[in-house]
């Protein structure tokens, strides 16, 4: 495919670099419609680092700029990977310039920011895609097909439990700061999107939320950044400069019950301050069976147990979804149209899923199509995440739509004030 869409990376930190690796992965398949022409970050070291790596990966150095105004005039699309507090400012400015936008999750830092982005994308008439990568995992695609085919019967209950973390920093200091995107939004928004992907729109949520560990520790402070332990091994060079210990202001645990419009219920625990035994569980129960799902981006098998039958986790799953087929880009990147498992290092999985996001963003632009996760859906995931935090403040079950429409926003008031919204 000719690379005809001039693209700028906006935000060149960890995820900006991971997006570059995803773009290069798509480029290698010959399916990329994008030409990277700009790298924008107020931290010019980060923009220059990305531009230099682009020379090796894409064969051309993009122009470096500290703001959108400094990018080449030819730019037609922006990939927003800034800190969440700047998603709405970067995306809205890009849309006003007539550019198409792909924005990392969480779409906006608050629902007010998300609503401003929705309005801007409608006014601009440009594509606004939210980069929700977990749902694009081939195993989650298979799970969704099995749910749609009625392999479980009518979905009734989702048990989603993720516990661990102790008092360690998760990737960066900002992920523990309420005004920058606390951990329940940063990680929780992925799970909110997946829950709606599997079960449809959420209606209400009741939650207890906690800040268990107000002091967090960074084990990489002052260490050799050559030891790669962070996602895709890109963060150590920044982590070594971060403090060894710092104050966390954002809640780190949520214990919730969520009701979906279908009548299904989720029992949801997201605890990033748990000690002792870590836990991952995503199990969906329906009127005719249950399904255990592996961690996102693990490539491990899901396991389906239909009433009165033995559990299956292999090619027999495809007998239940005879028409199931991954989209051509995912199939070509992961090596098959129908996969029940895959074995790849995390960095490779990560960049393949980002490549899929880019391919879909390009198709939406070139064929004037709605992206799979547009602004409205991206905002819904943010609303479901904040519904848990708003529920704790309100002391009651809250409706997701009152949060989505920014009618219930006491928890977010201070964040909106910090953003000037
Ligand atoms: N989908 C995923 O799996 C995933 C994983 C990690 C991060 N993310 C998301 O990606 C985004 C970035 O996270 P990260 O890990 O790269 O953070 P990071 O701190 O590593 O990088 C953020 C970058 O944004 C830059 N920046 C700040 N303000 C800017 C502005 N106004 N214009 C341009 N750049 C600006 C910073 O200088 C920095 O280089 C976040 O929204 C995060 O939630 C998604």
């Amino acid at each position: 495919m000719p690379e005809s869409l001039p693209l700028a990376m906006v935000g060149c930190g960890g995820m900006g670099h991971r997006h570059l690796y995803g773009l290069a992965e798509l480029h290698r398949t010959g399916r990329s419609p994008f030409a990277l022409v700009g790298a924008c970050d107020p931290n010019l070291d980060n923009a220059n680092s990305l531009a230099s790596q682009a020379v090796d990966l894409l064969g051309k150095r993009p122009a470096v700029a500290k703001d959108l105004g400094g990018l080449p005039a030819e730019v037609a699309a922006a990939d927003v990977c800034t800190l969440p507090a700047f998603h709405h400012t970067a995306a809205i400015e890009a849309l006003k310039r007539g550019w198409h936008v792909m924005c990392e999750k969480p779409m906006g830092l608050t629902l007010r920011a998300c609503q401003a982005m929705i309005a801007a994308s409608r006014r601009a008439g440009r594509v606004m895609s939210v980069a929700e990568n977990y749902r694009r995992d081939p195993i989650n695609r298979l799970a969704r097909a099995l749910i749609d085919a009625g392999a479980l019967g009518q979905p009734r209950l989702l048990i989603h439990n993720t516990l661990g973390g102790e008092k360690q920093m998760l990737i960066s200091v900002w992920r523990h700061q309420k005004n920058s995107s606390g951990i329940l939004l940063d990680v929780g928004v992925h799970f909110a999107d997946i829950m709606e992907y599997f079960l449809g729109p959420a209606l209400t949520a009741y939650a207890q939320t906690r800040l268990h560990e107000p002091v967090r520790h960074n084990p990489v402070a002052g260490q050799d950044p050559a030891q790669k332990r962070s996602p895709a091994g890109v963060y150590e060079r920044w982590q070594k400069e971060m403090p060894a210990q710092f104050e966390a202001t954002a809640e780190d645990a949520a214990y919730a019950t969520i009701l979906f419009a279908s009548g299904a219920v989720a029992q949801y625990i997201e605890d990033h301050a748990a000690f002792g035994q870590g836990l991952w569980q995503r199990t969906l129960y329906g009127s005719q069976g249950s399904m255990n799902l592996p961690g996102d981006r693990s490539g491990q098998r899901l396991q389906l147990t239909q009433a009165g039958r033995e559990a299956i986790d292999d090619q027999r799953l495809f007998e239940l979804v005879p028409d199931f087929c991954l989209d051509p880009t995912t199939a070509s990147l992961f090596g098959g149209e129908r996969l029940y498992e895959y074995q790849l290092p995390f960095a490779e999985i990560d960049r393949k899923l980002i490549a899929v996001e880019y391919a879909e963003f390009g198709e939406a632009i070139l064929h004037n199509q709605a992206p799979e996760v547009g602004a409205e859906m991206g905002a819904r995931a943010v609303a479901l995440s904040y519904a848990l935090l708003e529920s704790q403040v309100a002391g009651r079950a809250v409706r997701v739509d009152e949060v989505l429409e920014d009618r219930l926003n006491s928890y977010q008031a201070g964040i909106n004030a910090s953003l000037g919204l």
Side-chain angles (χ1 to χ4, degrees), residues 10-19 40-43 46-47 66-68 80-84 86-87 89-90 104-106 131-134 171-172 174-175 181 186 190 231 235 238 242 297 350 354 357:
V10 181
C12 304
M15 205 49 178
H17 281 72
R18 287 161 69 183
H19 275 227
C40 170
D41 197 306
N43 180 332
N46 290 357
K66 64 178 177 7
D67 53 34
L68 299 194
V80 175
C81 295
T82 66
L83 295 170
F86 301 99
H87 283 185
T89 51
E104 256 303 337
K105 47 55 62 175
E132 291 285 3
N133 44 351
Y134 285 21
I171 306 177
S172 42
W174 64 258
R175 286 176 166 87
S181 171
D186 185 63
H190 281 299
Y235 289 95
W238 295 291
M242 293 175 197
R297 301 181 290 185
D350 190 49
I354 294 167
E357 291 174 341

Side-chain angles (χ1 to χ4, degrees), residues 192-220:
D193 178 68
I194 275 285
M195 283 193 280
E196 290 211 331
Y197 180 57
F198 288 150
L199 295 173
L203 276 188
T204 66
Y206 174 77
Q208 289 287 314
T209 62
R210 297 285 185 274
L211 171 48
H212 287 308
E213 295 298 331
V215 178
R216 287 269 165 179
H217 296 263
N218 168 20
V220 189

